[in-house]
Amino acid sequence: MTAAVEILESAPVTSVQDLGRPDYVALGVSLGGTMDRLAAQVSNAMVGNPNEAACLEVGGFPFRLRFHRRLKVALTGADCEALLNERPLPPWWTFQVHANDELALNLPIRGRYCYVALAGGIDIPPILGSRSTDMKTGIGGFDGRGLRPGDRLEVGSPGRGVPAGEFGVSLSYPLLPHQRMTRLRVLAAAEFDALTEDSRALFSRARWKVTSAFNRTGAKLDGARLSLIAPRDVLSYGVVPGLIQVPPLGRPIIQLAEANTCGGYPRIGTVIGPDLRLVAQTPAGGSVCFEVVDHARSTAALAEERTALATLKQSLFRATAA
Amino acid sequence: MFRPKFSLMGESALLCDFASGRFDQKTQARLWSACSLLQSQDSVGNVVAGINNLLVSFDPLVTTPAAVEAAVCIAWEESDAVLTRGAEHEIEVDYGGPETDFGEVAATLSLSAREIVDLHVAPTYWVAAIGFIPGWGYLTGLDERLVLPRRSEPKTRVPSGSVLIASTLTAVMPLPSPSGWHVLGRTEQVLFSPDREPHCLLACGDRVRFREARP
């Protein structure tokens, strides 16, 4: 029997991802998983998948695939020109496909990653508890690598709660970063106070550029140089995605989904969880700025995001029941 | 009660710094014990032991940083420094070569090639922590004369099997990866296998010796 999905055109930055591998961080295995977790979770919800279902994280365009079976599909994330057999699709949309239908995603006008979820989820054997592709190490996902033309993927059995019909979703919540400037909320980290007074001020006021040195592990920024009052040799410490480090030459690096589990450069701040997806969706050459917030605000942001997602799922559930 | 230095690493993780200057072996052994005690608690998520520090994850909508800090202090009080003697490993190394920083290191430290090799193979190292990338062990016991800060800019790709030094530590690169450490040589030894258990060759408390490969 032919596999459900056939890749026609793809760049190596496109891969199978899910929620990652939290249980193996102690062995040095990156948490990994989707870069824009909100977009990925919404795409899964739109096809009645559980949160942990594997989907396609599309980071290179044009991306094309062919379906070999009737399936329910959802597309979220970056604002790309999406065509189903030449028919344009609205953004954040779920739709039915039939055997021989083709989906084409073209270069986004906004954002960097699109998420394609299939009812039933991508069916590949989990490695170390997850179907995520760890690109650094070649562990997990489809053969431990990004997708290529000719790759064929199987899909699992859909759950019973697959929302019927074709429709889109929106959240009372920005889905992508602002076009001109990605504003990132940050909590000060261990070496923030070790920055010079000028650097501390610069951190919040400067505009940084996302360079082409950007991948699932991290994003190198260009712009002003930050300096510590005195050079510091920091003993290696555990790392979470979102951590902003400053190596001695002064330009910040933001750790992302496939961050190494430990690091040793000075820690200036951490992008809050709900804003990680905004880093992920900022294209090369895009601008970011940092806003230092306190723990109360960051917790409120997390609560807001969880509520938005829960509310959406409830309304989708009602759509299924109807 | 002893309190480590606490700092937030985002809204869902707390960095607990137990260090006072240089790395301390007894503190590290006690941290492994504190790590196990913390991991068994419901209010706490992942706990990652770094070098004389712990990173404790939690859900800020379920508990607070203050509550986690209290749990960490209690775990420290209850912890036991047992310097476990784990497995012993001997790793064969090809020192020097074009892909290494051997020449640079020799020049910076004003040491000859022979002196660097002799200083690196002499000690029995101890695996203080596992982390950074799969199978990476932070090895303590590096000779004082080989101490160098990390590179000012990390290299984009250091090959698998690279034998490295930085600050007071040494390590072997299990998979190709970016790194700010200095490369002294290469080994063929495999350090991480995703397909079989145990996945990591090295575990906390293991001993490691390096041996110069015969030409």
Side-chain angles (χ1 to χ4, degrees):
Chain A
M1 189 165 93
T2 333
V5 175
E6 180 190 353
I7 307 299
L8 300 178
E9 198 174 347
S10 177
V13 292
T14 293
S15 61
V16 175
Q17 298 294 340
D18 62 14
L19 295 179
R21 321 186 143 83
D23 295 338
Y24 291 87
V25 167
L27 294 187
V29 182
S30 291
L31 181 62
T34 48
M35 292 277 268
D36 179 344
R37 197 134 301 187
L38 182 69
Q41 290 190 310
V42 171
S43 74
N44 269 332
M46 287 168 84
V47 293
N49 281 346
N51 271 343
E52 51 280 1
C55 62
L56 301 180
E57 177 175 88
V58 182
F61 304 86
F63 173 76
R64 287 186 307 123
L65 49 74
R66 182 182 290 134
F67 302 99
H68 288 287
R69 179 176 329 151
R70 197 171 171 276
L71 288 168
K72 197 78 199 306
V73 182
L75 172 67
T76 61
D79 215 344
C80 68
E81 193 204 326
L83 300 166
L84 180 67
N85 301 330
E86 311 297 310
R87 170 170 71 100
L89 296 173
W92 291 62
W93 198 253
T94 179
F95 47 98
Q96 193 76 48
V97 302
H98 300 87
N100 293 316
D101 280 352
E102 282 184 25
L103 177 68
L105 305 183
N106 295 301
L107 194 67
I109 52 171
R110 242 180 106 190
R112 191 193 271 265
Y113 291 103
C114 289
Y115 292 87
V116 179
L118 307 163
I122 306 285
D123 189 10
I124 50 176
I127 305 284
L128 295 176
S130 159
R131 295 184 171 87
S132 286
T133 317
D134 186 314
M135 305 285 242
K136 284 198 312 291
T137 59
I139 294 171
F142 185 87
D143 274 4
R145 59 168 173 79
L147 297 175
R148 292 178 197 149
D151 286 345
R152 285 163 188 266
L153 299 164
E154 248 332 325
V155 167
S157 310
R160 282 188 301 154
V162 182
E166 201 166 307
F167 61 87
V169 299
S170 73
L171 302 170
S172 56
Y173 203 69
L175 298 173
L176 291 170
H178 189 275
Q179 201 115 10
R180 297 259 178 105
M181 169 74 71
T182 300
R183 189 202 59 159
L184 300 169
R185 287 166 295 185
V186 167
L187 281 166
E191 277 79 50
F192 184 79
D193 287 334
L195 286 173
T196 63
E197 207 180 309
D198 280 349
S199 287
R200 252 175 282 146
L202 208 53
F203 181 74
S204 307
R205 284 199 214 118
R207 205 174 249 248
W208 310 88
K209 257 205 158 35
V210 171
T211 68
S212 56
F214 177 110
N215 58 31
R216 288 177 44 81
T217 300
K220 280 192 175 169
L221 303 182
D222 202 3
R225 282 182 221 253
L226 298 174
S227 325
L228 296 184
I229 297 167
R232 204 178 262 218
D233 210 15
V234 178
L235 293 178
S236 294
Y237 50 80
V239 169
V240 300
L243 179 66
I244 305 164
Q245 297 166 305
V246 171
L249 292 189
R251 297 204 173 100
I253 301 173
I254 308 178
Q255 295 297 323
L256 296 171
E258 272 185 46
N260 292 328
T261 63
C262 289
Y265 285 119
R267 303 149 284 199
I268 304 308
T270 313
V271 176
I272 70 170
D275 286 358
L276 277 177
R277 64 189 181 88
L278 301 178
V279 184
Q281 295 289 10
T282 304
S287 297
V288 310
C289 66
F290 298 118
E291 185 191 347
V292 180
V293 300
D294 62 16
H295 193 257
R297 259 190 81 189
S298 65
T299 308
L302 191 62
E304 197 189 345
E305 185 181 77
R306 286 195 192 163
T307 304
L309 200 52
T311 308
L312 175 72
K313 285 183 181 175
Q314 273 178 352
S315 62
L316 286 173
F317 180 73
R318 279 196 282 275
T320 314
Chain B
M1 206 193 258
F2 172 75
R3 275 182 72 87
K5 232 167 62 187
F6 290 114
S7 60
L8 283 171
M9 193 180 284
E11 76 289 341
S12 306
L14 193 66
L15 202 296
C16 317
D17 189 355
F18 290 81
S20 42
R22 279 276 175 99
F23 167 76
D24 181 68
Q25 194 144 312
K26 264 232 195 85
T27 303
Q28 194 66 19
R30 223 175 136 178
L31 282 179
W32 301 336
S33 162
C35 201
S36 306
L37 291 170
L38 279 168
Q39 276 166 334
S40 62
Q41 288 186 35
D42 287 330
S43 63
V44 152
N46 270 332
V47 183
V48 174
I51 305 297
N52 282 176
N53 55 64
L54 291 179
L55 179 71
V56 183
S57 293
F58 62 97
D59 185 342
L61 297 179
V62 165
T63 184
T64 65
V68 179
E69 287 182 13
V72 169
C73 291
I74 292 170
W76 175 257
E77 284 303 302
E78 296 179 356
S79 66
D80 222 329
V82 177
L83 277 176
T84 48
R85 201 188 174 105
E88 310 218 335
H89 310 276
E90 192 176 68
I91 295 179
E92 190 176 277
V93 183
D94 227 310
Y95 286 97
E99 281 199 20
T100 71
D101 304 312
F102 199 85
E104 255 178 68
V105 170
T108 312
L109 294 173
S110 303
L111 292 169
S112 69
R114 175 47 39 198
E115 283 171 318
I116 294 189
V117 174
D118 288 347
L119 288 172
H120 195 251
V121 301
T124 299
Y125 300 94
W126 187 68
V127 182
I130 301 285
F132 168 54
I133 54 175
W136 171 283
Y138 289 94
L139 307 180
T140 58
L142 186 69
D143 193 290
E144 293 251 328
R145 288 163 283 182
L146 290 179
V147 171
L148 266 185
R150 278 180 197 80
R151 298 171 64 87
S152 48
E153 275 268 320
K155 281 187 189 165
T156 318
R157 192 184 183 278
V158 168
S160 185
S162 298
V163 175
L164 311 155
I165 57 169
S167 182
T168 57
L169 302 167
T170 185
V172 181
M173 189 62 85
L175 299 155
S177 168
S179 172
W181 292 42
H182 308 273
V183 183
L184 290 187
R186 288 286 293 272
T187 180
E188 299 287 310
Q189 176 69 60
V190 172
L191 284 107
F192 185 79
S193 316
D195 318 310
R196 59 163 179 79
E197 303 232 31
H199 300 293
C200 281
L201 174 77
L202 302 177
C204 288
D206 283 1
R207 308 292 171 109
V208 175
R209 291 202 63 143
F210 293 102
R211 183 164 55 90
E212 188 181 9
R214 260 172 242 100

